[in-house]
Structure formats: C-alpha cells, structure tokens
Amino acid sequence: MKKLTKSDFFAAMALLLFLFCFTIPTVVFYQVPEKISRAGTQEVSSFVFPLWNFYQKGRYVSPYTPAGAAGDLRQLIERKAEIGMMSFPIWYVTLEAPNYPKEAFPEGIPVYFHLDGYSGDVHEMNTINHFIGMYSMETGAQTERALSPFILVVISLMMVLFFVFRQKWSSLLLVTPILFPLGFFGFYVGWLYWYGHNLQEWGMFKVKPFMPTALGDGKVAQFTTHSYPAIGFYILLLISVLCLLAVLSRKKESARASR
C-alpha cells in the first residue's frame, strides 16, 4: 500500500472541503428551483429534502419565513416561501434603513451570494433595487450560475487527478482551486459594476450610475450597505492554501525522489 504523502494529505483535505461545501450541494440542487416553480414538490427527488434541510442548519432565517417552516424544504415549498441554495454562501450584502427597524430586522435585509444562486431576503432586495431602476439579481451571471455545477465537477476531478499523476505538470491541476477565491471576487466586482452602471428609467428614484460597495460599508440613497465575505469565501481561501501547500509539498517530494 502506497504511503500517504504530505501533498496527498493537503490535496485530500482540500478536495473533501470542496466536495462537501460546494460540489455536492450544487449538483444535488441543480435545477431544483425551476422544478419547484413548475410543479411544487412533485418533480423534486425525495433525497433532496433531507439533504437541503441538513445544509440549512445554522443558516439565516428571514422574518418573512412562515412560522414552523424554517429549515424544512417541503414546508417552505408548500407555503410558497423563499428558498435558498444548498451550497455554502460565499459573500453577503445587507441593507439597513429607517423603514427596516432593528427590532423586526436585526440583520437588516441580507442577501447571500452562492456559486449557483442566492439566498436570504432576495425578493425584498429586488424590490428595493427596483426603486432605483436596478435589475433584479437573477438577471446577472445567468451563464455562470447555470454552468456552476459542471465547473465544480471538473475542478473536483482535476483535484482527484492530482493524486493519480505525479509528473511535474500535475501541479497545474490545482491552479484553478488556488485562484478560485480571487476569480470569484473578480466576477463579483464586475457584476456589481454592471448593475450600478445599467440603471433603468423605470426607477422611482433617480440615482446617478455608481459602483456598489464590493467590500466594506457604503451608502445608497437612504440605505446603509454592508458587503463582506461569508463563510464559503473563507472556506475557499482555506482550500486555496491547502492546494498551494500540496503543490509545494509535491515539489519537495519530487526533488527528494530524483536524488
């Protein structure tokens, strides 16, 4: 039996995190929102319900969520409530305003960005954005969200192949997961720019084109905005570090083997 090397250990930890937090939940929930909107619970596979409920533990619960339905996919579907993604959220934005008092909205109006969609108070956020002529969130990144399950599967396979091939070029297989956090943030900033510079005339309040705050606190009209990484982004950073350690360890192992 082949001895487990340091590079194998680091790569295995990165792969397990990537599969559990992103690949598996994204693949399992692929096209489920469309099935729900088309036929309720009828077209949703039975294994999706317990898995979705499991992944929702500890997640944000909206004040708009019907009583007793939080964390229960079947109940949320039957009561026509908002349903978020299974995968770990990577970024979040919250809005605070006088018409959303802290007593009723202790976390403001938050929206969480996932690789395959959104969660949180998406409908409320879209309503607020509509007032300034901003497109709904579902308008942007449609191609990226549609391709996300396939992209994640390919990256997972590349991480698996890192174990199989031990040539010098095999380290290139981990370049994508190493750069993934930076790539996500780049796409996020790019789409924020697009939203802020494509305001429409149907907005009730006229706002000049602007760059929404990507990281930190900002102000839009009477709203205070907060934009920060969510738990998924920190996990992506950890995966990136583990993959980098795997590459460096593999390089040392190859150097020792060639002596």
Side-chain angles (χ1 to χ4, degrees):
M1 185 175 177
K2 186 172 75 78
K3 183 181 177 182
L4 185 71
T5 63
K6 277 189 177 181
S7 64
D8 292 332
F9 173 78
F10 290 133
M13 293 298 295
L15 175 61
L16 290 174
L17 283 171
F18 197 76
L19 287 172
F20 177 77
C21 298
F22 305 107
T23 306
I24 292 173
T26 300
V27 170
V28 167
F29 212 60
Y30 179 59
Q31 293 190 336
V32 170
E34 290 79 4
K35 293 177 181 178
I36 292 171
S37 61
R38 184 171 59 241
T41 61
Q42 296 178 20
E43 295 184 12
V44 181
S45 301
S46 59
F47 68 86
V48 173
F49 294 98
L51 275 175
W52 189 92
N53 295 350
F54 170 76
Y55 273 92
Q56 293 306 303
K57 295 182 186 301
R59 300 276 180 95
Y60 168 76
V61 177
S62 170
Y64 298 106
T65 301
D72 189 327
L73 180 58
R74 197 176 295 276
Q75 283 285 321
L76 290 171
I77 294 173
E78 291 175 355
R79 299 169 77 171
K80 301 187 184 305
E82 282 196 75
I83 297 167
M85 299 293 107
M86 278 179 61
S87 61
F88 278 48
I90 299 180
W91 210 268
Y92 75 94
V93 172
T94 62
L95 293 182
E96 295 179 0
N99 50 320
Y100 294 105
K102 278 283 187 183
E103 300 77 34
F105 300 90
E107 299 185 49
I109 302 297
V111 167
Y112 296 85
F113 295 83
H114 304 246
L115 293 173
D116 53 339
Y118 312 96
S119 63
D121 293 319
V122 179
H123 177 75
E124 190 69 21
M125 184 73 81
N126 281 336
T127 301
I128 294 168
N129 290 341
H130 183 82
F131 283 117
I132 62 171
M134 186 176 285
Y135 283 112
S136 67
M137 286 184 293
E138 293 83 358
T139 304
Q142 293 184 17
T143 301
E144 293 92 326
R145 287 185 282 114
L147 292 177
S148 61
F150 307 99
I151 293 171
L152 294 176
V153 167
V154 169
I155 294 174
S156 300
L157 288 174
M158 291 169 68
M159 294 170 77
V160 169
L161 290 174
F162 179 79
F163 293 99
V164 179
F165 298 102
R166 295 183 173 273
Q167 288 80 7
K168 289 183 178 180
W169 58 265
S170 63
S171 294
L172 296 175
L173 294 166
L174 298 187
V175 169
T176 301
I178 289 172
L179 298 178
F180 205 98
L182 183 62
F184 173 86
F185 188 70
F187 274 98
Y188 176 68
V189 170
W191 277 108
L192 284 182
Y193 180 90
W194 182 86
Y195 276 108
H197 288 79
N198 285 276
L199 301 177
Q200 301 301 299
E201 293 298 324
W202 35 255
M204 185 179 297
F205 302 105
K206 302 306 176 187
V207 178
K208 292 181 180 179
F210 69 102
M211 178 63 200
T213 303
L215 176 61
D217 305 319
K219 192 97 173 160
V220 180
Q222 78 271 30
F223 296 98
T224 300
T225 66
H226 310 283
S227 178
Y228 288 97
I231 185 172
F233 189 79
Y234 295 110
I235 293 172
L236 284 176
L237 285 176
L238 177 58
I239 291 170
S240 177
V241 170
L242 287 169
C243 287
L244 184 58
L245 290 173
V247 169
L248 295 175
S249 297
R250 179 66 60 82
K251 187 177 180 181
K252 289 182 179 179
E253 291 159 8
S254 299
R256 283 198 299 266
S258 61
R259 288 175 187 171

